[in-house]
Amino acid sequence: MGKMRKPLIAGNWKMNGSIGLAADLLQAMQPGVEESSVEVVICPPFSLLQSMGECFRETSVSLGAQNVHPQISGAYTGETSAAMLNEMEVKWCIVGHSERRAQFAETDALVRQKVGTLLQHGIQPIVCVGESLEEREAGKHESVVVEQLKNGLSGLAADDQLRCTIAYEPVWAIGTGKTATSQQANSMHLTIRRELAELATEQVASEIRILYGGSVNAANAAELLEQSEIDGALVGGASLKTDQFPGIIAASNV
Ligand code: PGA
């Protein structure tokens, strides 16, 4: 039996890519992507948003950003606001990625502010949560993830929570070639869903999409994506590869 939630495959280009790659990737995704029942989002660096928006117009691929500032405008050198993302037709935005948490001091409180700003501007947040290797080895992985989830979504109305997507990305699996096993991932997704049932409502828990991220590629995608609680993937390295990303989309198109 198919899942009720529509699969979502999001590519996080991080500080990589070019407009040339966008065109090549779009071509590599044809014709399947238009007919597929999978939602596809690519999150390039800010500098590419405008031109990639033009490249993706008239296609079913949507555009996402990798970051946003919580304020609307002002003296925040180097930052980009949600209103500016709106102008570039950005529909999605990654928040709380572990690289931003670790390298740019993105705290749960900041994640929550960014989520609020994005929702006010009609941009769907992809809220990332995930434990480090030490936390997993110490048996704290579930409590760490639940805490990030609670803080990241705290005080949001149920319909706002439903506009969020959660991405579970164990830090030890990001860019390392080491994925969580499908059981480890599915079990954490189940924990997240149970927590959402308490935090929010049963409806939020059953309808919200939870993506897995961390070394997803065309070879391992099918096994991860067929798990009952995994609704898609947040893909880093393999989203930059024309011989990988289309295969991940195909693997979720079941
Ligand atoms: P990866 O990155 O697929 O290269 O492991 C995933 C991510 O950071 O979102």
Side-chain angles (χ1 to χ4, degrees):
M1 201 181 76
K3 288 175 211 166
M4 305 217 339
R5 300 173 292 266
K6 187 175 184 179
L8 171 65
I9 302 295
N12 172 12
W13 278 13
K14 310 190 180 181
M15 200 171 71
N16 300 295
S18 63
I19 187 64
L21 177 64
D24 289 349
L25 198 60
L26 196 56
Q27 197 173 26
M29 288 190 283
Q30 303 300 344
V33 73
E34 303 304 336
E35 286 92 57
S36 99
S37 54
V38 182
E39 225 170 320
V40 178
V41 179
I42 301 204
C43 307
F46 281 122
S47 58
L48 289 173
L49 285 172
Q50 183 83 42
S51 52
M52 279 178 63
E54 282 157 26
C55 183
F56 291 168
R57 197 163 291 148
E58 317 284 321
T59 78
S60 60
V61 181
S62 317
L63 198 59
Q66 298 174 17
N67 190 25
V68 68
H69 194 277
Q71 300 301 325
I72 305 306
S73 63
Y76 303 102
T77 303
E79 293 293 311
T80 304
S81 73
M84 294 166 185
L85 296 182
N86 279 154
E87 289 209 326
M88 295 188 286
E89 293 174 48
V90 168
K91 303 285 182 248
W92 300 84
C93 183
I94 299 170
V95 211
H97 190 279
S98 62
E99 285 153 17
R100 294 212 59 88
R101 291 181 189 264
Q103 300 169 34
F104 303 97
E106 193 156 318
T107 60
D108 285 349
L110 188 53
V111 169
R112 173 63 184 83
Q113 285 177 13
K114 291 182 178 189
V115 166
T117 303
L118 289 169
L119 290 170
Q120 278 163 18
H121 286 79
I123 300 171
Q124 301 174 82
I126 300 175
V127 183
C128 302
V129 295
E131 82 285 357
S132 66
L133 186 60
E134 302 77 71
E135 287 161 343
R136 178 164 281 266
E137 283 174 347
K140 293 191 205 144
H141 46 294
E142 293 197 339
S143 58
V144 166
V145 166
V146 163
E147 193 66 16
Q148 289 174 342
L149 183 75
K150 266 192 196 160
N151 294 337
L153 302 184
S154 73
L156 290 179
D159 57 340
D160 276 341
Q161 282 170 332
L162 270 178
R163 288 156 64 208
C164 296
T165 295
I166 308 299
Y168 168 55
E169 300 203 303
V171 178
W172 46 272
I174 296 179
T176 56
K178 193 176 162 190
T179 49
T181 63
S182 49
Q183 291 78 6
Q184 282 173 324
N186 203 51
S187 146
M188 184 63 89
H189 285 220
L190 197 60
T191 300
I192 292 172
R193 237 179 259 293
R194 288 208 180 109
E195 187 60 31
L196 285 168
E198 299 221 341
L199 247 174
T201 61
E202 290 286 349
Q203 190 202 2
V204 171
S206 67
E207 290 183 12
I208 206 167
R209 285 183 292 194
I210 310 178
L211 314 181
Y212 167 77
S215 297
V216 175
N217 59 37
N220 62 27
E223 192 192 331
L224 288 158
L225 293 167
E226 72 191 20
Q227 300 303 310
S228 61
E229 308 307 322
I230 301 184
D231 306 315
L234 181 55
V235 185
S239 72
L240 295 156
K241 298 194 177 124
T242 52
D243 62 350
Q244 291 286 321
F245 198 60
I248 299 172
I249 297 167
S252 62
N253 196 16
V254 281

